[in-house]
């Protein structure tokens, strides 16, 4: 029985150990002492996204994506990563995480052109940017936990 439980848990996405790692890694770049870097990291993620998926830039016209240093776009970057910060910090509270992600899912569902594939693309961008700012970045744990978050937000979106 214990072997079966261990086997079943081995395949779980975003395990308790994964959550600990993601929280530690995230805190290393997102702690209060790093507020000045938050905008830069978010801008780097969006720059990577737009470089790899040029069509994605059109989804962000409303927030002036053509001018990545504009106050509108910087504010949007912060809103996105603050939402991610909330989600990461709720990974240990499934009910609160589900409630928060349902809210974000509704917001994204109201935006024309937002797809589940877009969440996969931005996940890839985070996976390329975060290793540059997190020493010993663990891509597997990041992907497991970010995928859990992204799936909760994008579940009702078109592919």
């Amino acid at each position: 029985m214990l072997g079966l439980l261990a086997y079943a848990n081995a395949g779980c996405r975003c395990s308790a150990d994964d959550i600990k790692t993601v929280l530690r890694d995230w805190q290393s770049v997102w702690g209060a002492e790093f507020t000045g870097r938050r905008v830069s990291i978010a801008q780097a993620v969006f720059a990577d996204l737009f470089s790899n998926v040029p069509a994605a830039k059109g989804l962000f016209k409303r927030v002036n994506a053509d001018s990545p240093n504009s106050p509108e776009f910087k504010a949007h970057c912060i809103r996105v990563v603050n939402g991610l910060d909330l989600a990461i910090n709720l990974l240990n509270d499934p009910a609160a995480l589900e409630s928060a992600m349902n809210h974000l899912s509704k917001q994204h569902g109201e935006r024309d052109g937002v797809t589940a594939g877009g969440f996969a693309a931005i996940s890839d961008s985070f996976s390329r940017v975060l290793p540059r700012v997190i020493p010993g970045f663990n891509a597997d744990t990041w992907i497991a936990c970010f995928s859990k978050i992204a799936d909760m937000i994008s579940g009702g979106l078109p592919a």
Side-chain angles (χ1 to χ4, degrees):
M1 179 74 160
L2 289 176
L4 181 60
L5 285 174
Y7 174 76
N9 285 334
C12 289
R13 289 188 338 176
C14 198
S15 69
D17 287 339
D18 292 342
I19 292 169
K20 286 179 191 174
T21 299
V22 168
L23 284 168
R24 183 195 67 231
D25 286 353
W26 188 248
Q27 185 63 27
S28 78
V29 296
W30 215 252
E33 66 273 25
F34 302 121
T35 56
R37 291 197 300 185
R38 293 177 183 183
V39 172
S40 297
I41 292 168
Q43 286 175 300
V45 168
F46 276 99
D48 182 271
L49 175 66
F50 298 155
S51 173
N52 287 288
V53 186
K57 197 173 198 178
L59 296 172
F60 299 94
K61 285 182 182 181
R62 179 181 62 81
V63 293
N64 204 8
D66 287 328
S67 297
N69 288 313
S70 69
E72 300 89 358
F73 191 70
K74 286 181 177 181
H76 176 74
C77 287
I78 290 301
R79 284 190 299 274
V80 168
V81 289
N82 280 345
L84 179 57
D85 179 61
L86 172 68
I88 288 171
N89 283 289
L90 290 176
L91 284 169
N92 281 319
D93 187 343
L97 177 65
E98 183 176 357
S99 177
M101 296 307 97
N102 284 341
H103 175 73
L104 288 175
S105 178
K106 184 176 183 231
Q107 286 181 323
H108 286 87
E110 294 169 354
R111 303 265 184 244
D112 288 335
V114 177
T115 65
F119 282 88
I122 202 163
S123 174
D124 291 344
S125 292
F126 273 104
S127 293
R128 286 187 289 267
V129 170
L130 291 180
R132 294 186 240 157
V133 295
I134 298 175
F137 179 75
N138 186 320
D140 292 336
T141 60
W142 171 260
I143 291 167
C145 292
F146 189 91
S147 294
K148 177 179 181 171
I149 292 165
D151 288 352
M152 292 176 85
I153 298 171
S154 66
L157 296 174

